[in-house]
Amino acid sequence: MTVRERPVRADAARNRDKLLRAATAVLGEQGLDAPLDQVARRAGVSIGTFYNHFADRAALVAAILPAQLSPLDPIAERAMADPDPWHGFVTFLEGLFSLQARDRGINDAVARNAPGTADPAASCAGFAHVDRILARAKGAGELRADFTNDDLAALVWAVSRIIQLTADADPLAWRRFLALHLDGLRARPV
């Protein structure tokens, strides 16, 4: 015997959509630690309705993160298609960090990937191109040969902290920090 799933009621589907839109806005403004009751309030539903749709914060983040990170997919594709591998590498980093700077929830998710939260790399096809973007830049002799994925993870974490700490006072401070790092990552003739 198979269990048939009941169709979702129209009002429940509307409430879920309102919660997703509200969560995208609230978490984007305040980060992943924003109070969930603010999400429910902005959606115009009760906190009980929130929990009818999402078991916890991690479930909510997992539900909104793929759509929030989807702009990274075309950025990664442009980076791969760029005839200049160094420029493609820079394009990818600038695109990723621009997304993070515009959305505190994305910045938190990418930076800390806390246990129990969605893995941004698993939520976004754009991250699947990272190895090839790095390999192209290294193969062209433009990116230091000793730069690894772990180094990239450390750079992403560092820039995310700059974004977090300077967002209100100097929202573009991360660009200077990135420029300094890019200068250090450029391969130099021996």
Side-chain angles (χ1 to χ4, degrees):
M1 176 186 278
T2 61
V3 177
R4 281 177 35 171
E5 290 187 30
R6 293 185 311 183
V8 177
R9 293 185 346 235
D11 63 328
R14 279 192 304 274
N15 284 342
R16 181 178 171 81
D17 288 343
K18 289 193 295 187
L19 283 163
L20 291 172
R21 284 192 306 275
T24 298
V26 171
L27 299 183
E29 295 163 4
Q30 299 178 33
L32 294 184
D33 294 327
L36 297 178
D37 64 331
Q38 286 186 14
V39 172
R41 198 169 25 256
R42 183 157 312 174
V45 301
S46 71
I47 194 69
T49 299
F50 172 90
Y51 283 111
N52 284 339
H53 291 277
F54 304 102
D56 55 22
R57 183 180 306 275
L60 175 66
V61 171
I64 66 169
L65 194 58
Q68 292 303 99
L69 287 172
S70 65
L72 190 58
D73 298 346
I75 292 168
E77 290 169 10
R78 277 195 311 277
M80 287 297 302
D82 195 311
D84 179 340
W86 174 257
H87 187 260
F89 172 66
V90 172
T91 294
F92 179 78
L93 291 179
E94 287 178 344
L96 172 61
F97 298 142
S98 291
L99 286 174
Q100 288 178 234
R102 286 193 305 263
D103 188 304
R104 289 183 180 189
I106 291 174
N107 193 50
D108 286 353
V110 170
R112 67 182 179 200
N113 193 19
T117 62
D119 177 7
S123 301
C124 175
F127 284 114
H129 296 292
V130 168
D131 290 337
R132 292 192 339 242
I133 291 169
L134 294 179
R136 285 181 71 231
K138 286 180 188 179
E142 295 291 331
L143 176 62
R144 291 173 56 131
D146 61 346
F147 187 72
T148 67
N149 283 5
D150 288 340
D151 296 324
L152 178 60
L155 177 61
V156 169
W157 180 84
V159 174
S160 72
R161 295 294 294 157
I162 297 293
I163 290 169
Q164 181 184 44
L165 296 172
T166 64
D168 295 326
D170 185 2
L172 298 178
W174 66 268
R175 288 193 176 276
R176 181 176 186 280
F177 184 80
L178 177 60
L180 292 170
H181 277 275
L182 288 172
D183 189 46
L185 293 176
R186 201 92 198 236
R188 303 282 189 252
V190 179

